[in-house]
Amino acid sequence: MVADGHLNIDLDGGVDERWLQCADVLHATALRPYGEALRLARRTMRRWPGCLLTVVRCADGGCVAAARAGDRVVVRWLPVGAAFSTEGYVRFSSLLYVWLVRARTAGPATGRTAGQDGPGAPPDAVRRSR
């Protein structure tokens, strides 16, 4: 999916690897347990260094989002609605990308900095993912 100048590709879509190399956003539409979603998000960000954002749906609701922040990757669980259709979820990942790009161009973020696997994970998720 190309929208607003960015390329958003489904990791579960069986696309040619060249598309994955070019993607700004990689999303996974298949529902996964939190621990598996967390591992996939991290692995995807390591494998595709040109990707700014990876979003993976969780079977328990919400999704795991991994985003580049300078020289590190920040990984967070986001409590998005479980009622999202696949199309709605893809649109959400694109909107999240646009928000990240705008936040980067606006300068340093104000407020709380999200830590990797910190607050915001689903209840007992860190314990379940190990």
Side-chain angles (χ1 to χ4, degrees):
M1 172 180 181
V2 177
D4 298 321
H6 69 274
L7 183 62
N8 189 342
I9 299 292
D10 188 352
L11 289 165
D12 298 318
V15 299
D16 187 286
E17 190 168 309
R18 291 174 288 189
W19 285 109
L20 299 172
Q21 292 172 353
C22 298
D24 301 297
V25 181
L26 292 169
H27 67 272
T29 52
L31 296 172
R32 290 174 169 82
Y34 172 77
E36 184 181 332
L38 183 62
R39 287 187 295 277
L40 177 60
R42 288 179 175 157
R43 189 172 54 243
T44 299
M45 295 300 280
R46 281 192 306 269
R47 180 156 185 205
W48 309 111
C51 176
L52 175 66
L53 174 67
T54 296
V55 184
V56 183
R57 291 174 88 177
C58 295
D60 302 345
C63 65
V64 172
R68 296 196 191 283
D71 61 347
R72 65 189 179 104
V73 172
V74 177
V75 181
R76 300 288 293 166
W77 175 77
L78 302 175
V80 296
F84 270 173
S85 65
T86 299
E87 183 178 324
Y89 167 75
V90 173
R91 287 182 182 177
F92 169 76
S93 64
S94 283
L95 288 172
L96 187 56
Y97 172 83
V98 170
W99 180 82
L100 284 170
V101 170
R102 287 187 180 172
R104 285 176 147 207
T105 58
T110 58
R112 190 174 90 177
T113 301
Q116 192 166 359
D117 300 331
D124 300 325
V126 174
R127 185 173 64 245
R128 285 184 290 157
S129 69
R130 298 180 199 243

